[in-house]
Amino acid sequence: MGERQENLHAFLAAAGVHLVILAPMVIALESTRQHADIMATAIPAVAISAEEFDRPRREAEAREKAEAARREKEREAARQRELQAQREADEQARRQREAEQQRQAEEAARLEAAADKQRRAEEEARRKAAEEQRRAEEAARRKAAEEKRQAEAEAARRRAEEEARLRAEREADMQAEIAAEQSRLAAIRAGKLDEWIAMMQQKAERYFSPPLNAGNDFYCEVAVRMIPGGDIASATTGTCDSEQLARAAEAAIWKAAPFPMPSDPSVFERNVTFIFDSPETE
């Protein structure tokens, strides 16, 4: 519609231009006869024609202004509708955000409540487990204490029995030692110990060869540690005239071993001293 109005306005403007150009020509061609009348009436005629000529333009401008106002009104209404729609959309978005926030808050509260419930359940389970563990440990401690008490009582009983047995054994050993000592003393009194030592001395002397530098006057003592059965554990030289004499005496003892045991075992002595001396010393 706007384009048609613009074309009409252009047409009317062009027509008005042509009329303005042709009007003087028409006036010039009028006859002299009509000159006075034409001159008298020409001005009003031209004035009426100009007003009539400008009316379409004014009407077109008015219509254009009205159309422009209408279009502006429609654009304003459209803008208002868009603004209203935007406000409604914003309000809808706000409500949706608030609803989503509310939903999220409710969900968070639900999850927190569930988590709190789970925590309480776990704490209760841990408390029960700890209580059961404590009871089990207490029962285990009581059982261990009872077992320890019983073990200590059993150990005390066994120690008492062992001590009684050891006392009996010591008593028996003591009695045996007393009897053996009495027998040994009796044997010694009877000369059996001297007889045994003399017998060992004689055997050792059979293996004794004094060194050439010993001369006819020498003396040497050798302490011997005896082993039951006649063997010796050690032979250590005591008082001796020379090193050569000491070696000869020790060699004789080691060669003579094992020695005969005494006829009476009660006179056996672990420590025996052998004496090697010259016949003159004897």
Side-chain angles (χ1 to χ4, degrees), residues 34-54:
Q34 298 174 339
H35 179 72
D37 294 334
I38 295 171
M39 290 301 293
T41 61
I43 293 174
V46 170
I48 294 171
S49 297
E51 182 179 355
E52 291 296 328
F53 173 77
D54 195 47

CSV table of all heavy atoms in Angstrom, one decimal, residues 34-54:
chain,number,residue,atom,x,y,z
A,34,GLN,N,-11.3,38.1,-25.8
A,34,GLN,CA,-11.6,37.6,-24.4
A,34,GLN,C,-10.6,38.1,-23.4
A,34,GLN,O,-10.6,37.7,-22.3
A,34,GLN,CB,-11.6,36.1,-24.4
A,34,GLN,CG,-12.6,35.5,-25.3
A,34,GLN,CD,-12.5,33.9,-25.4
A,34,GLN,OE1,-11.4,33.4,-25.1
A,34,GLN,NE2,-13.6,33.3,-25.8
A,35,HIS,N,-9.6,39.0,-23.8
A,35,HIS,CA,-8.5,39.4,-23.0
A,35,HIS,C,-9.0,40.0,-21.6
A,35,HIS,O,-8.5,39.7,-20.6
A,35,HIS,CB,-7.6,40.4,-23.7
A,35,HIS,CG,-6.5,40.8,-22.9
A,35,HIS,ND1,-5.4,40.0,-22.5
A,35,HIS,CD2,-6.2,42.1,-22.3
A,35,HIS,CE1,-4.6,40.7,-21.8
A,35,HIS,NE2,-5.1,42.0,-21.7
A,36,ALA,N,-10.0,40.9,-21.8
A,36,ALA,CA,-10.4,41.6,-20.5
A,36,ALA,C,-11.1,40.6,-19.6
A,36,ALA,O,-10.8,40.7,-18.4
A,36,ALA,CB,-11.4,42.7,-20.9
A,37,ASP,N,-11.9,39.8,-20.2
A,37,ASP,CA,-12.6,38.8,-19.3
A,37,ASP,C,-11.6,37.8,-18.7
A,37,ASP,O,-11.8,37.5,-17.5
A,37,ASP,CB,-13.7,38.1,-20.1
A,37,ASP,CG,-14.8,39.0,-20.5
A,37,ASP,OD1,-15.0,40.1,-19.9
A,37,ASP,OD2,-15.5,38.7,-21.5
A,38,ILE,N,-10.7,37.4,-19.6
A,38,ILE,CA,-9.7,36.4,-19.1
A,38,ILE,C,-8.9,37.0,-18.0
A,38,ILE,O,-8.6,36.4,-17.0
A,38,ILE,CB,-8.8,35.9,-20.3
A,38,ILE,CG1,-9.7,35.1,-21.3
A,38,ILE,CG2,-7.7,35.1,-19.8
A,38,ILE,CD1,-9.0,34.7,-22.5
A,39,MET,N,-8.5,38.3,-18.2
A,39,MET,CA,-7.6,38.9,-17.2
A,39,MET,C,-8.4,39.1,-15.9
A,39,MET,O,-7.8,39.1,-14.8
A,39,MET,CB,-7.2,40.3,-17.7
A,39,MET,CG,-6.2,40.2,-18.8
A,39,MET,SD,-4.7,39.3,-18.4
A,39,MET,CE,-4.0,40.4,-17.2
A,40,ALA,N,-9.8,39.3,-16.1
A,40,ALA,CA,-10.5,39.5,-14.9
A,40,ALA,C,-10.8,38.2,-14.1
A,40,ALA,O,-10.9,38.2,-12.9
A,40,ALA,CB,-11.9,40.1,-15.2
A,41,THR,N,-10.8,37.1,-14.9
A,41,THR,CA,-11.1,35.9,-14.2
A,41,THR,C,-10.0,34.9,-14.1
A,41,THR,O,-10.0,33.9,-13.5
A,41,THR,CB,-12.3,35.2,-15.0
A,41,THR,OG1,-11.8,34.9,-16.3
A,41,THR,CG2,-13.5,36.0,-15.0
A,42,ALA,N,-8.8,35.3,-14.7
A,42,ALA,CA,-7.7,34.4,-14.7
A,42,ALA,C,-7.1,34.1,-13.3
A,42,ALA,O,-6.8,33.0,-13.0
A,42,ALA,CB,-6.6,34.9,-15.6
A,43,ILE,N,-7.0,35.1,-12.5
A,43,ILE,CA,-6.4,35.0,-11.2
A,43,ILE,C,-7.2,34.0,-10.3
A,43,ILE,O,-6.6,33.1,-9.8
A,43,ILE,CB,-6.1,36.3,-10.6
A,43,ILE,CG1,-5.1,37.1,-11.4
A,43,ILE,CG2,-5.7,36.2,-9.1
A,43,ILE,CD1,-4.9,38.5,-10.9
A,44,PRO,N,-8.5,34.3,-10.2
A,44,PRO,CA,-9.3,33.3,-9.4
A,44,PRO,C,-9.2,31.9,-9.9
A,44,PRO,O,-9.2,31.0,-9.2
A,44,PRO,CB,-10.7,33.9,-9.4
A,44,PRO,CG,-10.5,35.3,-9.7
A,44,PRO,CD,-9.3,35.4,-10.6
A,45,ALA,N,-9.3,31.8,-11.3
A,45,ALA,CA,-9.2,30.4,-11.9
A,45,ALA,C,-8.0,29.7,-11.5
A,45,ALA,O,-7.9,28.6,-11.2
A,45,ALA,CB,-9.4,30.5,-13.4
A,46,VAL,N,-6.8,30.4,-11.7
A,46,VAL,CA,-5.5,29.8,-11.4
A,46,VAL,C,-5.4,29.5,-9.9
A,46,VAL,O,-5.0,28.4,-9.5
A,46,VAL,CB,-4.4,30.8,-11.8
A,46,VAL,CG1,-3.1,30.3,-11.3
A,46,VAL,CG2,-4.3,30.9,-13.3
A,47,ALA,N,-6.0,30.4,-9.0
A,47,ALA,CA,-5.9,30.1,-7.6
A,47,ALA,C,-6.7,28.8,-7.3
A,47,ALA,O,-6.3,28.0,-6.5
A,47,ALA,CB,-6.5,31.3,-6.8
A,48,ILE,N,-7.9,28.7,-7.8
A,48,ILE,CA,-8.7,27.5,-7.6
A,48,ILE,C,-8.0,26.3,-8.1
A,48,ILE,O,-8.0,25.2,-7.5
A,48,ILE,CB,-10.1,27.7,-8.2
A,48,ILE,CG1,-10.8,28.8,-7.5
A,48,ILE,CG2,-10.9,26.4,-8.1
A,48,ILE,CD1,-12.1,29.2,-8.2
A,49,SER,N,-7.4,26.4,-9.2
A,49,SER,CA,-6.7,25.2,-9.8
A,49,SER,C,-5.6,24.8,-9.0
A,49,SER,O,-5.3,23.6,-8.8
A,49,SER,CB,-6.3,25.5,-11.2
A,49,SER,OG,-7.4,25.8,-12.0
A,50,ALA,N,-4.8,25.7,-8.4
A,50,ALA,CA,-3.6,25.3,-7.6
A,50,ALA,C,-4.1,24.6,-6.3
A,50,ALA,O,-3.5,23.7,-5.8
A,50,ALA,CB,-2.9,26.6,-7.2
A,51,GLU,N,-5.2,25.2,-5.7
A,51,GLU,CA,-5.7,24.5,-4.5
A,51,GLU,C,-6.2,23.1,-4.8
A,51,GLU,O,-5.9,22.2,-4.0
A,51,GLU,CB,-6.8,25.4,-3.9
A,51,GLU,CG,-7.4,24.8,-2.6
A,51,GLU,CD,-8.5,25.7,-2.1
A,51,GLU,OE1,-8.8,26.7,-2.6
A,51,GLU,OE2,-9.0,25.3,-1.0
A,52,GLU,N,-6.9,23.1,-5.9
A,52,GLU,CA,-7.4,21.7,-6.3
A,52,GLU,C,-6.2,20.8,-6.7
A,52,GLU,O,-6.2,19.6,-6.4
A,52,GLU,CB,-8.3,21.8,-7.5
A,52,GLU,CG,-9.7,22.5,-7.2
A,52,GLU,CD,-10.5,21.7,-6.2
A,52,GLU,OE1,-10.3,20.4,-6.2
A,52,GLU,OE2,-11.2,22.3,-5.4
A,53,PHE,N,-5.2,21.4,-7.3
A,53,PHE,CA,-4.0,20.6,-7.7
A,53,PHE,C,-3.3,20.1,-6.4
A,53,PHE,O,-2.8,19.0,-6.4
A,53,PHE,CB,-3.1,21.5,-8.5
A,53,PHE,CG,-1.8,20.8,-8.8
A,53,PHE,CD1,-1.7,19.8,-9.8
A,53,PHE,CD2,-0.7,21.2,-8.1
A,53,PHE,CE1,-0.5,19.2,-10.0
A,53,PHE,CE2,0.5,20.6,-8.4
A,53,PHE,CZ,0.6,19.6,-9.3
A,54,ASP,N,-3.2,20.9,-5.4
A,54,ASP,CA,-2.4,20.5,-4.2
A,54,ASP,C,-3.1,19.6,-3.3
A,54,ASP,O,-2.5,19.0,-2.4
A,54,ASP,CB,-1.9,21.8,-3.5
A,54,ASP,CG,-0.8,21.6,-2.5
A,54,ASP,OD1,0.1,20.9,-2.8
A,54,ASP,OD2,-1.0,22.0,-1.3
